[in-house]
CSV table of all heavy atoms in Angstrom, one decimal:
chain,number,residue,atom,x,y,z
L,73,ARG,N,6.8,4.6,36.5
L,73,ARG,CA,7.9,5.4,36.1
L,73,ARG,C,8.9,4.6,35.3
L,73,ARG,O,10.0,4.3,35.7
L,73,ARG,CB,8.7,5.9,37.4
L,73,ARG,CG,7.8,6.7,38.3
L,73,ARG,CD,8.6,7.1,39.6
L,73,ARG,NE,9.6,8.1,39.3
L,73,ARG,CZ,9.5,9.4,39.2
L,73,ARG,NH1,8.3,9.9,39.5
L,73,ARG,NH2,10.5,10.2,38.9
L,74,PRO,N,8.5,4.3,34.1
L,74,PRO,CA,9.4,3.5,33.2
L,74,PRO,C,10.6,4.3,32.7
L,74,PRO,O,10.5,5.5,32.6
L,74,PRO,CB,8.5,3.1,32.0
L,74,PRO,CG,7.5,4.2,32.0
L,74,PRO,CD,7.2,4.6,33.4
L,75,SER,N,11.7,3.6,32.5
L,75,SER,CA,12.9,4.3,32.0
L,75,SER,C,12.7,4.7,30.6
L,75,SER,O,13.3,5.7,30.1
L,75,SER,CB,14.1,3.4,32.2
L,75,SER,OG,14.3,3.1,33.5
L,76,LEU,N,11.9,4.0,29.8
L,76,LEU,CA,11.7,4.2,28.4
L,76,LEU,C,10.3,3.8,28.0
L,76,LEU,O,9.8,2.7,28.5
L,76,LEU,CB,12.7,3.4,27.6
L,76,LEU,CG,12.7,3.5,26.1
L,76,LEU,CD1,13.0,4.9,25.7
L,76,LEU,CD2,13.7,2.6,25.5
L,77,VAL,N,9.7,4.5,27.1
L,77,VAL,CA,8.4,4.2,26.6
L,77,VAL,C,8.5,4.0,25.1
L,77,VAL,O,9.2,4.8,24.4
L,77,VAL,CB,7.3,5.3,26.8
L,77,VAL,CG1,6.0,4.9,26.1
L,77,VAL,CG2,7.1,5.5,28.3
L,78,LEU,N,8.0,2.9,24.5
L,78,LEU,CA,8.0,2.6,23.1
L,78,LEU,C,6.6,2.8,22.6
L,78,LEU,O,5.7,2.1,23.0
L,78,LEU,CB,8.5,1.2,22.8
L,78,LEU,CG,9.8,0.8,23.4
L,78,LEU,CD1,10.2,-0.6,23.0
L,78,LEU,CD2,10.9,1.8,22.8
L,79,LEU,N,6.4,3.8,21.8
L,79,LEU,CA,5.1,4.2,21.3
L,79,LEU,C,4.9,3.4,20.0
L,79,LEU,O,5.5,3.7,18.9
L,79,LEU,CB,5.0,5.7,21.0
L,79,LEU,CG,3.6,6.2,20.5
L,79,LEU,CD1,2.5,5.9,21.5
L,79,LEU,CD2,3.7,7.7,20.3
L,80,THR,N,3.9,2.4,20.0
L,80,THR,CA,3.7,1.6,18.8
L,80,THR,C,2.3,1.5,18.4
L,80,THR,O,1.9,0.5,17.7
L,80,THR,CB,4.3,0.2,19.1
L,80,THR,OG1,3.7,-0.3,20.3
L,80,THR,CG2,5.8,0.2,19.3
L,81,VAL,N,1.5,2.4,18.8
L,81,VAL,CA,0.1,2.5,18.4
L,81,VAL,C,0.0,2.8,16.9
L,81,VAL,O,0.9,3.4,16.4
L,81,VAL,CB,-0.8,3.4,19.2
L,81,VAL,CG1,-0.8,3.1,20.7
L,81,VAL,CG2,-0.3,4.9,19.1
L,82,LYS,N,-1.1,2.5,16.3
L,82,LYS,CA,-1.4,3.0,14.9
L,82,LYS,C,-1.4,4.5,14.9
L,82,LYS,O,-1.7,5.2,15.9
L,82,LYS,CB,-2.7,2.4,14.4
L,82,LYS,CG,-2.7,0.9,14.2
L,82,LYS,CD,-1.8,0.5,13.0
L,82,LYS,CE,-1.9,-1.0,12.7
L,82,LYS,NZ,-1.1,-1.4,11.6
L,83,SER,N,-1.0,5.1,13.7
L,83,SER,CA,-0.9,6.5,13.6
L,83,SER,C,-2.1,7.3,14.1
L,83,SER,O,-2.0,8.3,14.7
L,83,SER,CB,-0.5,6.9,12.2
L,83,SER,OG,0.7,6.3,11.9
L,84,GLY,N,-3.3,6.7,13.7
L,84,GLY,CA,-4.5,7.4,14.1
L,84,GLY,C,-4.8,7.5,15.6
L,84,GLY,O,-5.6,8.4,16.0
L,85,ALA,N,-4.1,6.7,16.4
L,85,ALA,CA,-4.2,6.8,17.8
L,85,ALA,C,-3.1,7.5,18.5
L,85,ALA,O,-3.1,7.5,19.8
L,85,ALA,CB,-4.3,5.3,18.4
L,86,THR,N,-2.2,8.1,17.8
L,86,THR,CA,-1.0,8.7,18.4
L,86,THR,C,-1.4,9.8,19.4
L,86,THR,O,-0.8,9.8,20.5
L,86,THR,CB,-0.1,9.3,17.3
L,86,THR,OG1,0.3,8.2,16.4
L,86,THR,CG2,1.1,10.0,17.9
L,87,ALA,N,-2.2,10.8,19.0
L,87,ALA,CA,-2.5,11.9,19.9
L,87,ALA,C,-3.2,11.4,21.2
L,87,ALA,O,-2.8,11.9,22.3
L,87,ALA,CB,-3.4,12.9,19.1
L,88,GLU,N,-4.1,10.5,21.1
L,88,GLU,CA,-4.8,10.0,22.2
L,88,GLU,C,-3.8,9.3,23.2
L,88,GLU,O,-3.8,9.4,24.4
L,88,GLU,CB,-5.9,9.1,21.8
L,88,GLU,CG,-6.7,8.4,23.0
L,88,GLU,CD,-7.8,7.5,22.5
L,88,GLU,OE1,-7.9,7.3,21.3
L,88,GLU,OE2,-8.4,6.8,23.4
L,89,ALA,N,-3.0,8.4,22.6
L,89,ALA,CA,-2.0,7.7,23.4
L,89,ALA,C,-1.0,8.6,24.1
L,89,ALA,O,-0.7,8.4,25.2
L,89,ALA,CB,-1.3,6.7,22.5
L,90,ALA,N,-0.5,9.6,23.3
L,90,ALA,CA,0.4,10.6,23.9
L,90,ALA,C,-0.2,11.3,25.1
L,90,ALA,O,0.5,11.6,26.1
L,90,ALA,CB,1.0,11.5,22.9
L,91,ALA,N,-1.4,11.8,24.9
L,91,ALA,CA,-2.1,12.5,26.0
L,91,ALA,C,-2.2,11.6,27.2
L,91,ALA,O,-2.1,12.1,28.3
L,91,ALA,CB,-3.5,13.0,25.5
L,92,GLU,N,-2.6,10.4,27.0
L,92,GLU,CA,-2.7,9.4,28.2
L,92,GLU,C,-1.3,9.2,28.9
L,92,GLU,O,-1.3,9.2,30.1
L,92,GLU,CB,-3.2,8.1,27.7
L,92,GLU,CG,-3.4,7.1,28.8
L,92,GLU,CD,-4.0,5.8,28.3
L,92,GLU,OE1,-4.6,5.7,27.2
L,92,GLU,OE2,-3.8,4.8,29.1
L,93,LEU,N,-0.3,9.1,28.1
L,93,LEU,CA,1.0,9.0,28.7
L,93,LEU,C,1.4,10.2,29.5
L,93,LEU,O,1.9,10.1,30.6
L,93,LEU,CB,2.1,8.7,27.6
L,93,LEU,CG,2.1,7.4,26.9
L,93,LEU,CD1,2.9,7.4,25.6
L,93,LEU,CD2,2.5,6.3,27.9
L,94,ALA,N,1.2,11.4,28.9
L,94,ALA,CA,1.5,12.6,29.6
L,94,ALA,C,0.8,12.8,30.9
L,94,ALA,O,1.3,13.4,31.8
L,94,ALA,CB,1.3,13.8,28.6
L,95,ALA,N,-0.4,12.3,30.9
L,95,ALA,CA,-1.3,12.5,32.1
L,95,ALA,C,-0.8,11.5,33.2
L,95,ALA,O,-1.0,11.8,34.4
L,95,ALA,CB,-2.7,12.2,31.8
L,96,ALA,N,-0.2,10.4,32.9
L,96,ALA,CA,0.1,9.4,33.9
L,96,ALA,C,1.6,9.3,34.2
L,96,ALA,O,1.9,8.9,35.4
L,96,ALA,CB,-0.3,8.0,33.4
L,97,LEU,N,2.5,9.8,33.4
L,97,LEU,CA,3.9,9.6,33.6
L,97,LEU,C,4.6,10.9,34.1
L,97,LEU,O,4.1,12.0,33.8
L,97,LEU,CB,4.6,9.1,32.3
L,97,LEU,CG,4.1,7.8,31.7
L,97,LEU,CD1,5.0,7.4,30.5
L,97,LEU,CD2,4.1,6.7,32.7
L,98,PRO,N,5.7,10.8,34.7
L,98,PRO,CA,6.4,12.0,35.1
L,98,PRO,C,6.9,12.8,33.9
L,98,PRO,O,7.1,12.3,32.8
L,98,PRO,CB,7.7,11.4,35.8
L,98,PRO,CG,7.3,10.0,36.2
L,98,PRO,CD,6.4,9.5,35.1
L,99,ALA,N,6.9,14.2,34.1
L,99,ALA,CA,7.4,15.1,33.1
L,99,ALA,C,8.8,14.7,32.7
L,99,ALA,O,9.6,14.3,33.5
L,99,ALA,CB,7.3,16.5,33.6
L,100,GLY,N,9.1,14.8,31.4
L,100,GLY,CA,10.4,14.4,30.9
L,100,GLY,C,10.6,13.0,30.6
L,100,GLY,O,11.7,12.6,30.2
L,101,SER,N,9.5,12.2,30.7
L,101,SER,CA,9.6,10.7,30.3
L,101,SER,C,10.0,10.6,28.8
L,101,SER,O,9.5,11.3,28.0
L,101,SER,CB,8.3,10.0,30.5
L,101,SER,OG,8.0,10.0,31.9
L,102,THR,N,10.9,9.7,28.5
L,102,THR,CA,11.4,9.5,27.2
L,102,THR,C,10.5,8.5,26.4
L,102,THR,O,10.3,7.4,26.9
L,102,THR,CB,12.9,9.0,27.2
L,102,THR,OG1,13.7,9.9,27.9
L,102,THR,CG2,13.4,8.8,25.8
L,103,VAL,N,10.1,9.0,25.3
L,103,VAL,CA,9.2,8.2,24.4
L,103,VAL,C,9.8,8.1,23.1
L,103,VAL,O,10.2,9.1,22.5
L,103,VAL,CB,7.8,8.8,24.3
L,103,VAL,CG1,6.9,8.0,23.4
L,103,VAL,CG2,7.2,9.0,25.7
L,104,VAL,N,9.9,6.8,22.5
L,104,VAL,CA,10.4,6.6,21.2
L,104,VAL,C,9.2,6.2,20.3
L,104,VAL,O,8.6,5.2,20.6
L,104,VAL,CB,11.5,5.6,21.1
L,104,VAL,CG1,12.0,5.3,19.7
L,104,VAL,CG2,12.7,6.0,22.0
L,105,SER,N,9.0,7.0,19.3
L,105,SER,CA,7.9,6.6,18.4
L,105,SER,C,8.4,5.6,17.3
L,105,SER,O,9.1,6.0,16.4
L,105,SER,CB,7.4,7.9,17.7
L,105,SER,OG,6.6,7.6,16.5
L,106,LEU,N,8.0,4.4,17.5
L,106,LEU,CA,8.4,3.3,16.5
L,106,LEU,C,7.2,3.1,15.6
L,106,LEU,O,6.6,2.0,15.6
L,106,LEU,CB,8.8,2.1,17.2
L,106,LEU,CG,10.0,2.2,18.1
L,106,LEU,CD1,10.3,0.9,18.8
L,106,LEU,CD2,11.2,2.5,17.2
L,107,GLN,N,6.8,4.1,14.9
L,107,GLN,CA,5.6,4.1,14.0
L,107,GLN,C,5.9,4.4,12.6
L,107,GLN,O,6.9,5.0,12.3
L,107,GLN,CB,4.6,5.1,14.6
L,107,GLN,CG,4.2,4.9,16.1
L,107,GLN,CD,3.4,6.1,16.6
L,107,GLN,OE1,4.1,7.1,17.1
L,107,GLN,NE2,2.1,6.1,16.6
L,108,ASN,N,5.0,4.1,11.7
L,108,ASN,CA,5.1,4.4,10.3
L,108,ASN,C,4.9,5.9,10.1
L,108,ASN,O,4.4,6.7,10.9
L,108,ASN,CB,4.1,3.7,9.5
L,108,ASN,CG,4.4,2.2,9.3
L,108,ASN,OD1,5.6,1.9,9.3
L,108,ASN,ND2,3.4,1.4,9.1
L,109,GLY,N,5.4,6.4,8.9
L,109,GLY,CA,5.2,7.8,8.6
L,109,GLY,C,6.3,8.7,9.1
L,109,GLY,O,7.3,8.2,9.6
L,110,VAL,N,6.2,10.0,8.9
L,110,VAL,CA,7.2,10.9,9.3
L,110,VAL,C,6.8,11.9,10.3
L,110,VAL,O,7.6,12.7,10.8
L,110,VAL,CB,7.7,11.7,8.0
L,110,VAL,CG1,8.3,10.7,7.0
L,110,VAL,CG2,6.6,12.5,7.4
L,111,ALA,N,5.5,11.9,10.7
L,111,ALA,CA,5.0,13.0,11.6
L,111,ALA,C,4.6,12.6,13.0
L,111,ALA,O,4.2,13.4,13.8
L,111,ALA,CB,3.8,13.7,10.9
L,112,ASN,N,4.6,11.3,13.3
L,112,ASN,CA,4.0,10.8,14.5
L,112,ASN,C,4.7,11.3,15.8
L,112,ASN,O,4.1,11.6,16.8
L,112,ASN,CB,4.0,9.3,14.6
L,112,ASN,CG,2.8,8.7,13.8
L,112,ASN,OD1,1.6,9.1,14.1
L,112,ASN,ND2,3.0,7.9,12.8
L,113,ALA,N,6.1,11.5,15.7
L,113,ALA,CA,6.8,12.0,16.9
L,113,ALA,C,6.3,13.4,17.1
L,113,ALA,O,6.2,13.8,18.3
L,113,ALA,CB,8.3,11.9,16.6
L,114,ARG,N,6.2,14.2,16.1
L,114,ARG,CA,5.7,15.6,16.3
L,114,ARG,C,4.3,15.6,16.8
L,114,ARG,O,4.0,16.4,17.7
L,114,ARG,CB,5.8,16.3,14.9
L,114,ARG,CG,5.4,17.8,15.0
L,114,ARG,CD,5.6,18.5,13.7
L,114,ARG,NE,4.7,18.1,12.6
L,114,ARG,CZ,5.1,17.4,11.6
L,114,ARG,NH1,6.4,17.0,11.5
L,114,ARG,NH2,4.3,17.0,10.6
L,115,VAL,N,3.4,14.8,16.3
L,115,VAL,CA,2.0,14.7,16.8
L,115,VAL,C,2.0,14.3,18.3
L,115,VAL,O,1.3,14.9,19.1
L,115,VAL,CB,1.2,13.7,16.0
L,115,VAL,CG1,-0.2,13.5,16.6
L,115,VAL,CG2,1.0,14.2,14.5
L,116,ALA,N,2.8,13.3,18.6
L,116,ALA,CA,2.9,12.9,20.0
L,116,ALA,C,3.4,14.0,20.9
L,116,ALA,O,2.9,14.2,22.1
L,116,ALA,CB,3.8,11.6,20.1
L,117,ALA,N,4.4,14.7,20.5
L,117,ALA,CA,5.0,15.8,21.3
L,117,ALA,C,4.0,16.9,21.6
L,117,ALA,O,3.9,17.5,22.6
L,117,ALA,CB,6.2,16.4,20.7
L,118,GLN,N,3.2,17.2,20.5
L,118,GLN,CA,2.2,18.2,20.7
L,118,GLN,C,1.0,17.8,21.6
L,118,GLN,O,0.5,18.6,22.4
L,118,GLN,CB,1.6,18.6,19.3
L,118,GLN,CG,2.6,19.3,18.4
L,118,GLN,CD,2.1,19.5,17.0
L,118,GLN,OE1,1.1,18.9,16.5
L,118,GLN,NE2,2.8,20.3,16.2
L,119,ALA,N,0.6,16.5,21.5
L,119,ALA,CA,-0.5,16.0,22.3
L,119,ALA,C,-0.1,15.6,23.7
L,119,ALA,O,-1.0,15.5,24.6
L,119,ALA,CB,-1.1,14.8,21.6
L,120,GLY,N,1.2,15.4,23.9
L,120,GLY,CA,1.7,15.0,25.2
L,120,GLY,C,2.7,16.0,25.8
L,120,GLY,O,3.9,15.6,25.9
L,121,PRO,N,2.3,17.2,26.2
L,121,PRO,CA,3.3,18.2,26.7
L,121,PRO,C,4.0,17.6,27.9
L,121,PRO,O,3.4,16.9,28.8
L,121,PRO,CB,2.4,19.3,27.2
L,121,PRO,CG,1.1,19.2,26.4
L,121,PRO,CD,0.9,17.7,26.2
L,122,GLY,N,5.3,17.8,27.9
L,122,GLY,CA,6.1,17.3,29.0
L,122,GLY,C,6.9,16.0,28.6
L,122,GLY,O,7.9,15.6,29.3
L,123,LEU,N,6.4,15.3,27.6
L,123,LEU,CA,7.1,14.1,27.1
L,123,LEU,C,8.3,14.4,26.3
L,123,LEU,O,8.2,15.4,25.5
L,123,LEU,CB,6.1,13.2,26.3
L,123,LEU,CG,4.9,12.6,27.0
L,123,LEU,CD1,4.0,11.9,26.0
L,123,LEU,CD2,5.2,11.8,28.2
L,124,ARG,N,9.4,13.6,26.4
L,124,ARG,CA,10.5,13.8,25.5
L,124,ARG,C,10.3,12.8,24.4
L,124,ARG,O,10.7,11.6,24.5
L,124,ARG,CB,11.8,13.6,26.2
L,124,ARG,CG,12.1,14.7,27.2
L,124,ARG,CD,13.5,14.5,27.9
L,124,ARG,NE,14.5,14.6,26.9
L,124,ARG,CZ,15.3,13.6,26.5
L,124,ARG,NH1,15.1,12.4,26.9
L,124,ARG,NH2,16.3,13.8,25.6
L,125,VAL,N,9.8,13.2,23.2
L,125,VAL,CA,9.4,12.2,22.2
L,125,VAL,C,10.5,12.2,21.1
L,125,VAL,O,10.9,13.3,20.6
L,125,VAL,CB,8.1,12.6,21.5
L,125,VAL,CG1,7.7,11.5,20.5
L,125,VAL,CG2,7.0,12.7,22.6
L,126,LEU,N,11.0,11.1,20.8
L,126,LEU,CA,12.1,10.9,19.8
L,126,LEU,C,11.6,10.1,18.7
L,126,LEU,O,10.9,9.0,18.9
L,126,LEU,CB,13.3,10.2,20.4
L,126,LEU,CG,13.9,10.8,21.7
L,126,LEU,CD1,15.0,9.9,22.3
L,126,LEU,CD2,14.5,12.2,21.4
L,127,PRO,N,11.9,10.4,17.4
L,127,PRO,CA,11.4,9.6,16.3
L,127,PRO,C,12.2,8.4,16.2
L,127,PRO,O,13.4,8.3,16.5
L,127,PRO,CB,11.7,10.5,15.1
L,127,PRO,CG,12.8,11.5,15.5
L,127,PRO,CD,12.6,11.7,17.0
L,128,GLY,N,11.6,7.3,15.7
L,128,GLY,CA,12.3,6.0,15.5
L,128,GLY,C,11.7,5.4,14.3
L,128,GLY,O,10.9,5.9,13.6
L,129,MET,N,12.3,4.2,13.9
L,129,MET,CA,11.9,3.5,12.7
L,129,MET,C,12.0,2.0,12.9
L,129,MET,O,13.0,1.5,13.4
L,129,MET,CB,12.7,4.0,11.6
L,129,MET,CG,12.4,3.4,10.2
L,129,MET,SD,13.1,1.8,9.8
L,129,MET,CE,14.9,2.2,9.7
L,130,VAL,N,11.0,1.2,12.5
L,130,VAL,CA,11.1,-0.2,12.5
L,130,VAL,C,11.2,-0.7,11.0
L,130,VAL,O,10.3,-0.4,10.2
L,130,VAL,CB,9.8,-0.8,13.1
L,130,VAL,CG1,9.8,-2.3,13.1
L,130,VAL,CG2,9.6,-0.3,14.5
L,131,PRO,N,12.3,-1.3,10.6
L,131,PRO,CA,12.5,-1.7,9.2
L,131,PRO,C,11.8,-2.9,8.8
L,131,PRO,O,11.6,-3.2,7.6
L,131,PRO,CB,14.0,-1.9,9.2
L,131,PRO,CG,14.3,-2.5,10.5
L,131,PRO,CD,13.4,-1.8,11.5
Side-chain angles (χ1 to χ4, degrees):
R73 302 179 68 88
S75 299
L76 181 63
V77 178
L78 304 179
L79 183 59
T80 54
V81 298
K82 292 290 186 180
S83 297
T86 297
E88 179 184 357
E92 183 179 338
L93 288 168
L97 301 183
S101 293
T102 301
V103 178
V104 178
S105 166
L106 294 176
Q107 301 167 278
N108 284 331
V110 298
N112 278 304
R114 182 173 67 250
V115 171
Q118 291 171 346
L123 300 175
R124 294 184 63 250
V125 185
L126 305 172
M129 185 275 293
V130 179

